[in-house]
Amino acid sequence: NKHFEINGLKSQGRLGPEIAPSTPIGAINRRKEKENPKPKLPELAILTSESSRRRLHSTARSGEARMPKPAGDAKLLIQSLTKAYAATPTNLKIIDLYVVFAVATALVQVVYMGIVGSFPFNSFLSGVLSCIGTAVLGVCLRIQVNKDNKEFKDLPPERAFADFVLCNLVLHLVIMNFLG
Amino acid sequence: MAEPVANAAAPAPAPGRLRNAFGGVLCAFTLILIGVLAFSIRLFSVIKYESVIHEFDPYFNFRVTQFLSKNGIYEFWNWFDDRTWYPLGRVIGGTVYPGLTLTAGSIWWFVNALNIPLSVETVCVFTAPIFSAIASWATYLLTKEAKGTGAGLMAAAILAMVPSYISRSVAGSYDNEAVAIFALVFTFYLYVKTLNTGSLFYATLNALSYFYMVCSWGGYTFIINLIPMHVLLCIVTGRYSSRLYIAYAPLVILGTLLAALVPVVGFNAVLTSEHFASFLVFIILHVVAFVYYIKGLLTPRLFKMAMTLVITVGLAVCFAVVAILVALVASSPTKGWSGRSLSLLDPTYASKYIPIIASVSEHQPPTWPSYFMDINVLAFLVPAGIISCFLPLSDASSFMVLYLVTAVYFSGVMVRLMLVLAPAACILSGIALSSAFDVLTRSMKFQLSKLFDDGPAISGNGSPNGSSASTVNTSSSKNEKTEKSEAAPKEKQSKKNRRKDKEVTESVSVKPKKEKRLSVLPLEASIVSTLLLIALGGFYVVHCVWAAAEAYSAPSIVLTSRSREGLHVFDDFREAYAWLSHNTDVDDKVASWWDYGYQTTAMANRTVIVDNNTWNNTHIATVGTAMSSPEKAAWEIFDSLDVKYVLVVFGGLVGYPSDDINKFLWMVRIGGGEFPHIKEPDYLRDGQYRVDAQATPTMLNCLMYKLCYYRFVETDGKGFDRVRGYEIGKKHFKLTHFEEVFTTHHWMVRIYKLKPQKNRIRGKLKKLKSQSSKTSSTLAAGRKKNPWQ
């Protein structure tokens, strides 16, 4: 019992090398070690505040080696982001693509205005705002159609799409009027 | 959990549904009655006087509507008016808020298409009462979204009668606010509905309603700043949800586009500081939405890493962008704000820089009595409503509180904006009264049922039982007894121990569904409180009806006074305009102070020099200078503007206080602001404007004095001015450059004609030559910079 307690303390701090893995006691420790981090972190989250958690983390790391850490962090971040995003359903990815296309078109128009000048200002305004408007409406559609969104689980996706079409109609009617 | 409830509900679905149906019918019937009340309380002016357009601004709107009904919408859109601001003219299509005229015009067209022959004037006069009825229905909808049907009905009933709203929407007051308040409340209702339901359909409707508001009134900037403030409040208090995104983001894009469609606003929708708040919050909302999305994708540890990474990079970019923006905005003299908005934000701005805005009586700060006059009982029901909004706090109720707080601030700056405060005050008072009645009737029902069901149980219950209380009453008695239906641990109940009770009684709950333990008042207290609240409502109604009948129904174009012989009517204004329209040529120009411009063009159909739009300060200053100059100089100014007739309003004979002599100080100030040879101290004696024997010679020689008091001494032999309260200074004088052509019955409006220049002046050649050499020498010396000499 005492052995386990001492080993538990060692694995909690992660301060130094553990007991040699070949011993059976060490094997049990490794299992315990594996289980520990996950339940430990939420506990820490409940009992301590954000700043103290950050302090614990930084003291846990040996030394303040800044150089490789952010790069490694960023790579890890991007990896997990892409992995999590790849898991989204295809229809949402299509809507995302549509939104990105709309924003890109808006950027192209702004660059063009920067080159050529903004003389028919109403045309510029209506062009850019129509792109941003379709992007915003696309995001609204995505919010309403997303199955993970608990607030909209009663909303049938057909209704969401019908609202989307109606709002787009109004938007484009105004755009056509304002385009000049 | 669900089954016992279903069992309880199954044996009685029919009575429940019948009750619901009966409730719905009662609600609809009450709403119809509220609409009728709102319409009829505004008809006092039609009954007491006649069906006529009131005041000054409505006459312009009426003239525009007449033009629209006669010539159609394309002519209206492209109309260039050459009958005002001679010789500049005014582009009506681009400078008027078309909402009101288009609304009344379409009502007129629709009604005439049904072969009901209503004239344009009738439609214009009754537009405001109709829209106030619709506005009270919109208030019902808005309050229902926040607190429920009872509060909605209460708020609608209060809004139908509130004097502040009545003052701007009586029958005959055909002004922008008549439809704008409806548009304001309806836009807020659609925003709150979108926030509550998250439906894109309501977001579209919200944008369209906002478009209607932009068409109707310059106060639309209140909406486009209040809604971003509320979104920011929700984000900051941690109430961000995807419904918030759907409620706000489409509104910004569609709203900006629709606002830019209206010619008055045009590109101001993206260029002026009034709209920057909406764009800023738009960006902030997107950042927050993105952050929440990423948070959902990543684990907490990775998310923290991402945050630290992004914050360091993002802050740098943010600072750069903000610095550029600030530099751009600071480079303009008014920091991008328009004069009117600046005068709202900084109450002293107008008096320092823009005397025209400061001179309008509606733009003065209100006095304390005007709060009690205009919103009466609501003034102390509103804090109760604020408290009631916090139990529980939802998005909609936080919006109400924010709306009220900003409206109170702005109403303190300008008395005209009490009108924006009125719906907020009504909604919150409705909420307060509804919660109060809720508790009182619940207590009465509970107490009465206990009285009739089990008498002895209550009498045996000596000490009060513990239970949790959840509502705070404004009219609660000092001893608050709380009871439960079954035995509970006996605990000393006092206001301080309420929190302890909550924890204790959480464990004991026998009923199948967990219902809130609600506080109950003793029977006598609740009956008396109900009666007192109803009496309060009665006082409010009496005050509103009195205010509507006596204070706000006067069509300032017709004045009445009660004397021993009965009612005396002063119809001088219309008399003067009718004389003008019958006795002058169509192309004759009439000069007067800008107050009467709209009325002159609408009723007399003559070209005027300046009118109430006050868009050109120099032109108004020219007329002001002319009124403050001696006769010859004034004649020259007017002649350069092709003026043929000059109109002044004079109240000295009958005691009408808002005449031109009382407005004279503004003529001097505005004229002096543009033409430095008009100096205000020349007209002041001991810091006061006087027209009696102690007046300065400049004052006694100026055109306004002469035109007002010409032959005044003939009325009573002494020349006693009833408004100023003393005898005038210069009593006997002749006019050299003007001749009097018409004075109305009570001397209230006096019309003068410019005398034509003499062809030749006999025997004065030598004098003229020496005079002209004198003037040329003074010009060469550059002593005076007077453009008129």
Side-chain angles (χ1 to χ4, degrees):
Chain A
N1 224 3
K2 230 197 298 188
H3 290 294
F4 291 126
E5 273 194 75
I6 294 169
N7 293 333
L9 273 176
K10 282 227 162 128
S11 65
Q12 183 179 32
R14 277 191 260 127
L15 285 169
E18 299 118 11
I19 297 178
S22 53
T23 60
I25 299 173
I28 295 169
N29 284 344
R30 216 187 297 133
R31 235 187 296 125
K32 244 181 142 178
E33 196 185 355
K34 272 198 205 140
E35 289 166 3
N36 273 342
K38 282 223 184 87
K40 280 264 185 284
L41 274 175
E43 264 182 53
L44 283 172
I46 294 171
L47 292 175
T48 67
S49 63
E50 278 269 342
S51 52
S52 55
R53 209 196 318 171
R54 235 177 277 133
R55 257 186 282 121
L56 274 169
H57 261 265
S58 54
T59 50
R61 295 189 211 117
S62 42
E64 280 287 310
R66 248 15 192 137
M67 301 282 276
K69 260 299 178 178
D73 272 351
K75 226 172 54 150
L76 189 60
L77 201 61
I78 293 174
Q79 271 180 356
S80 59
L81 263 177
T82 45
K83 205 166 38 143
Y85 186 69
T88 55
T90 321
N91 58 347
L92 294 184
K93 280 200 211 160
I94 294 176
I95 297 178
D96 287 341
L97 199 61
Y98 174 67
V99 168
V100 167
F101 166 69
V103 173
T105 318
L107 283 174
V108 165
Q109 290 186 2
V110 171
V111 167
Y112 178 71
M113 188 271 290
I115 299 174
V116 171
S118 71
F119 162 58
F121 191 60
N122 56 327
S123 317
F124 164 67
L125 210 59
S126 88
V128 169
L129 284 180
S130 90
C131 293
I132 300 185
T134 46
V136 163
L137 290 178
V139 173
C140 290
L141 178 67
R142 187 189 198 279
I143 290 174
Q144 288 186 329
V145 163
N146 196 354
K147 290 197 190 38
D148 297 331
N149 219 332
K150 283 179 289 302
E151 282 170 348
F152 290 104
K153 62 176 162 58
D154 299 328
L155 190 72
E158 289 82 13
R159 167 74 198 269
F161 188 68
D163 286 343
F164 170 74
V165 167
L166 174 72
C167 208
N168 262 320
L169 265 176
V170 172
L171 176 70
H172 286 96
L173 189 66
V174 176
I175 297 291
M176 283 298 133
N177 200 354
F178 197 48
L179 205 53
Chain B
M1 194 65 137
E3 283 212 284
V5 175
N7 281 337
R17 240 184 285 158
L18 190 62
R19 255 178 87 188
N20 276 343
F22 180 64
V25 167
L26 191 63
C27 183
F29 185 60
T30 316
L31 274 178
I32 293 177
L33 275 183
I34 288 174
V36 171
L37 168 70
F39 182 82
S40 28
I41 201 174
R42 287 161 169 80
L43 294 183
F44 275 106
S45 57
V46 175
I47 297 171
K48 288 174 75 168
Y49 301 89
E50 58 181 291
S51 164
V52 74
I53 309 255
H54 296 189
E55 302 267 324
F56 303 109
D57 278 358
Y59 272 99
F60 171 68
N61 295 324
F62 172 56
R63 179 163 164 256
V64 174
T65 317
Q66 269 182 324
F67 184 87
L68 171 70
S69 62
K70 221 185 316 198
N71 303 50
I73 181 126
Y74 287 108
E75 288 296 314
F76 163 72
W77 224 231
N78 297 321
W79 186 20
F80 178 80
D81 188 20
D82 56 351
R83 310 279 291 175
T84 65
W85 296 93
Y86 185 84
L88 303 166
R90 177 185 172 183
V91 182
I92 299 274
T95 57
V96 77
Y97 280 100
L100 175 71
T101 12
L102 289 177
T103 310
S106 23
I107 293 177
W108 174 85
W109 173 84
F110 178 68
V111 155
N112 274 32
L114 290 178
N115 257 333
I116 306 173
L118 288 181
S119 71
V120 179
E121 182 172 12
T122 317
V123 171
C124 291
V125 164
F126 288 101
T127 300
I130 293 176
F131 271 87
S132 57
I134 304 179
S136 47
W137 294 337
T139 315
Y140 160 73
L141 289 171
L142 175 56
T143 321
K144 189 167 82 127
E145 282 302 311
K147 272 289 177 176
T149 325
L153 286 174
M154 199 84 224
I158 293 178
L159 184 85
M161 293 187 290
V162 65
S164 161
Y165 186 28
I166 289 183
S167 70
R168 305 291 302 200
S169 67
V170 280
S173 175
Y174 181 55
D175 208 355
N176 287 338
E177 287 91 349
V179 294
I181 296 297
F182 158 66
L184 182 85
V185 177
F186 197 57
T187 309
F188 285 154
Y189 158 64
L190 287 172
Y191 169 67
V192 169
K193 181 103 185 162
T194 317
L195 201 53
N196 281 346
T197 58
S199 152
L200 198 56
F201 172 64
Y202 281 109
T204 319
L205 287 182
N206 187 17
L208 290 175
S209 171
Y210 172 67
F211 175 51
Y212 184 54
M213 178 70 190
V214 174
C215 284
S216 311
W217 198 30
Y220 74 90
T221 48
F222 182 63
I223 297 187
I224 202 62
N225 282 306
L226 181 65
I227 293 188
M229 255 202 276
H230 179 246
V231 170
L232 209 55
L233 180 75
C234 282
I235 291 176
V236 161
T237 54
R239 301 182 74 97
Y240 172 78
S241 65
S242 42
R243 290 172 287 119
L244 189 69
Y245 183 86
I246 296 181
Y248 184 64
L251 173 69
V252 170
I253 301 291
L254 263 179
T256 310
L257 271 171
L258 287 167
L261 266 185
V262 181
V264 182
V265 177
F267 296 145
N268 286 345
V270 289
L271 293 177
T272 53
S273 296
E274 282 116 3
H275 291 87
F276 281 172
S278 58
F279 300 138
L280 192 66
V281 175
F282 184 67
I283 295 174
I284 293 177
L285 182 71
H286 274 89
V287 167
V288 169
F290 192 61
V291 162
Y292 271 87
Y293 174 66
I294 298 289
K295 203 180 204 175
L297 276 186
L298 296 175
T299 64
R301 192 170 69 90
L302 284 169
F303 176 64
K304 260 179 7 63
M305 260 197 288
M307 285 299 283
T308 45
L309 203 68
V310 164
I311 281 178
T312 42
V313 171
L315 270 178
V317 173
C318 250
F319 273 132
V321 169
V322 165
I324 296 176
L325 256 178
V326 166
L328 264 177
V329 165
S331 60
S332 81
T334 56
K335 318 259 179 302
W337 295 89
S338 75
R340 287 213 173 163
S341 312
L342 267 176
S343 64
L344 275 182
L345 292 176
D346 172 17
T348 56
Y349 180 80
S351 50
K352 278 187 276 182
Y353 298 106
I354 319 177
I356 279 208
I357 293 184
S359 74
V360 181
S361 66
E362 295 179 317
H363 293 177
Q364 309 303 322
T367 55
W368 275 112
S370 68
Y371 275 96
F372 289 105
M373 172 72 168
D374 274 350
I375 54 174
N376 209 4
V377 159
L378 312 184
F380 51 84
L381 281 179
V382 156
I386 296 180
I387 295 177
S388 180
C389 271
F390 276 96
L391 334 149
L393 188 68
S394 66
D395 290 336
S397 50
S398 71
F399 179 73
M400 294 305 164
V401 174
L402 189 66
Y403 173 26
L404 179 91
V405 169
T406 45
V408 165
Y409 170 71
F410 285 121
S411 74
V413 176
M414 258 195 208
V415 74
R416 182 180 185 180
L417 295 178
M418 289 275 294
L419 181 63
V420 174
L421 175 63
C426 293
I427 292 170
L428 284 180
S429 322
I431 291 176
L433 277 178
S434 170
S435 323
F437 276 124
D438 209 17
V439 173
L440 293 172
T441 49
R442 192 175 60 226
S443 319
M444 285 203 291
K445 266 200 292 196
F446 186 72
Q447 299 283 12
L448 285 176
S449 74
K450 287 223 94 177
L451 217 58
F452 292 135
D453 286 345
D454 38 13
I458 298 180
S459 51
N461 238 348
S463 57
N465 296 327
S467 98
S468 65
S470 58
T471 55
V472 174
N473 288 324
T474 56
S475 51
S476 62
S477 50
K478 287 207 192 104
N479 315 326
E480 199 172 340
K481 257 201 295 182
T482 60
E483 300 185 40
K484 255 175 27 194
S485 43
E486 68 274 331
K490 297 217 166 101
E491 198 136 353
K492 243 291 153 42
Q493 172 71 10
S494 77
K495 282 193 186 142
K496 299 177 200 135
N497 291 342
R498 223 176 282 152
R499 228 181 291 138
K500 221 179 15 169
D501 295 338
K502 259 197 215 149
E503 299 174 35
V504 167
T505 56
E506 274 305 295
S507 46
V508 189
S509 100
V510 184
K511 291 206 176 127
K513 44 181 185 154
K514 221 179 207 181
E515 59 178 28
K516 227 170 22 167
R517 303 304 166 77
L518 304 164
S519 56
V520 182
L521 296 171
L523 186 64
E524 306 79 23
S526 24
I527 290 181
V528 168
S529 309
T530 314
L531 289 175
L532 284 178
L533 278 181
I534 293 177
L536 190 75
F539 281 128
Y540 174 68
V541 171
V542 165
H543 171 83
C544 292
V545 173
W546 169 84
E550 299 297 325
Y552 291 134
S553 284
S556 47
I557 192 132
V558 173
L559 307 163
T560 58
S561 79
R562 286 202 173 275
S563 59
R564 264 170 292 127
E565 291 87 34
L567 191 69
H568 205 80
V569 176
F570 299 87
D571 207 4
D572 287 40
F573 288 102
R574 290 196 289 181
E575 189 185 340
Y577 299 130
W579 185 92
L580 265 181
S581 81
H582 286 136
N583 294 295
T584 59
D585 291 332
V586 175
D587 284 331
D588 283 342
K589 326 280 187 272
V590 179
S592 65
W593 190 233
W594 58 261
D595 279 344
Y596 316 107
Y598 281 158
Q599 283 183 346
T600 314
T601 41
M603 281 195 270
N605 197 21
R606 293 290 172 266
T607 311
V608 291
I609 306 294
V610 287
D611 70 12
N612 306 54
N613 193 30
T614 65
W615 65 269
N616 191 332
N617 199 36
T618 313
H619 222 49
I620 297 180
T622 313
V623 174
T625 309
M627 296 295 192
S628 329
S629 312
E631 259 193 87
K632 179 160 166 61
W635 187 94
E636 306 213 325
I637 298 176
F638 281 139
D639 194 49
S640 73
L641 287 171
D642 289 347
V643 171
K644 199 113 173 275
Y645 295 91
V646 179
L647 187 152
V648 293
V649 170
F650 170 62
L653 183 65
V654 291
Y656 174 60
S658 23
D659 65 347
D660 279 356
I661 294 282
N662 275 354
K663 291 179 191 164
F664 186 61
L665 79 97
W666 292 110
M667 299 187 199
V668 171
R669 278 194 193 153
I670 296 174
E674 291 283 330
F675 301 102
H677 69 275
I678 303 282
K679 300 187 213 29
E680 200 176 341
D682 286 346
Y683 299 84
L684 299 172
R685 172 81 68 192
D686 302 328
Q688 276 187 22
Y689 283 90
R690 299 191 70 93
V691 289
D692 56 356
Q694 292 179 19
T696 57
T698 333
M699 183 75 181
L700 292 176
N701 272 324
C702 74
L703 186 71
M704 181 53 70
Y705 178 90
K706 286 198 168 167
L707 293 187
C708 282
Y709 292 115
Y710 179 61
R711 292 191 312 116
F712 183 52
V713 70
E714 294 169 18
T715 55
D716 61 347
K718 289 199 296 280
F720 184 77
D721 186 337
R722 284 215 175 109
V723 178
R724 265 55 67 175
Y726 42 66
E727 292 183 10
I728 57 176
K730 192 149 70 162
K731 298 185 190 182
H732 304 272
F733 56 89
K734 282 200 165 48
L735 291 175
T736 52
H737 289 73
F738 294 84
E739 60 172 322
E740 181 185 5
V741 284
F742 186 65
T743 300
T744 56
H745 185 214
H746 300 100
W747 286 57
M748 277 174 65
V749 184
R750 310 192 68 180
I751 306 180
Y752 294 83
K753 188 173 172 177
L754 263 70
K755 274 191 189 166
Q757 236 177 0
K758 290 207 178 109
N759 273 332
R760 29 183 210 133
I761 307 164
R762 283 191 297 184
K764 289 206 180 148
L765 275 172
K766 279 197 194 148
K767 221 180 186 176
L768 262 179
K769 266 207 194 133
S770 55
Q771 260 186 1
S772 59
S773 57
K774 228 198 285 178
T775 50
S776 59
S777 65
T778 53
L779 264 175
R783 200 162 49 91
K784 284 194 220 172
K785 269 205 281 185
N786 189 345
W788 305 113
Q789 283 175 359

